[in-house]
Amino acid sequence: QVQLVESGGGLVQAGGSLRLSCAASGRTFSSYAMGWFRQAPGKERERVADIYWSRGNTYYAHSVKGRFTISRDNAKNTVYLQMNSLKPEDTAVYYCAARPTIGDVDYLYWGQGTQVTVSS
């Protein structure tokens, strides 16, 4: 049973930082990509960043590039999203997700989300 559990959300002032964590369990993720998504009220879900677990290749949405950093700790089976220079528009529920990298497939596994609120 694959399980993704996010943590690290909270309330932060604009310009501040948070680090989100995604603890992954239930299988090996060496052939997976791990992604961070977010959904703000009234908006559709947005892919923020992802990383190939084994190779470390990363993707960032234009809106967060240069401010957010995705990384992983293989020993801890944990993926992180370091968020710096936070803006009020970053306010959203942030979700961790996983998908296989072999084959053209969607993100299959999702966490429950963690709330990030950035005050102005």
Side-chain angles (χ1 to χ4, degrees), residues 8-88:
L11 175 64
V12 65
Q13 293 183 347
S17 298
L18 285 173
R19 188 177 75 161
L20 306 183
S21 298
C22 173
S25 62
R27 64 160 298 132
T28 59
F29 293 90
S30 59
S31 62
Y32 274 64
M34 306 295 295
W36 285 100
F37 293 74
R38 67 186 182 187
Q39 188 164 25
K43 298 182 179 179
E44 63 184 11
R45 184 169 289 171
E46 172 190 20
R47 181 163 62 114
V48 175
D50 60 24
I51 185 169
Y52 281 66
W53 197 286
S54 293
R55 293 178 56 85
N57 308 61
T58 58
Y59 160 86
Y60 297 96
H62 183 265
S63 59
V64 307
K65 192 173 181 64
R67 299 188 297 120
F68 291 11
T69 303
I70 189 170
S71 62
R72 84 287 197 206
D73 186 328
N74 292 339
K76 296 182 178 180
N77 285 339
T78 300
V79 178
Y80 304 96
L81 185 67
Q82 179 67 46
M83 305 185 295
N84 298 325
S85 301
L86 283 162
K87 305 174 181 179

Side-chain angles (χ1 to χ4, degrees), residues 2-6 22 35-39 45-47 94-99 106-113:
V2 171
Q3 186 174 16
L4 306 175
V5 180
E6 304 97 333
C22 173
W36 285 100
F37 293 74
R38 67 186 182 187
Q39 188 164 25
R45 184 169 289 171
E46 172 190 20
R47 181 163 62 114
Y94 283 71
Y95 298 90
C96 180
R99 66 169 176 86
D106 295 328
Y107 279 89
L108 302 177
Y109 308 105
W110 295 82
Q112 293 298 304

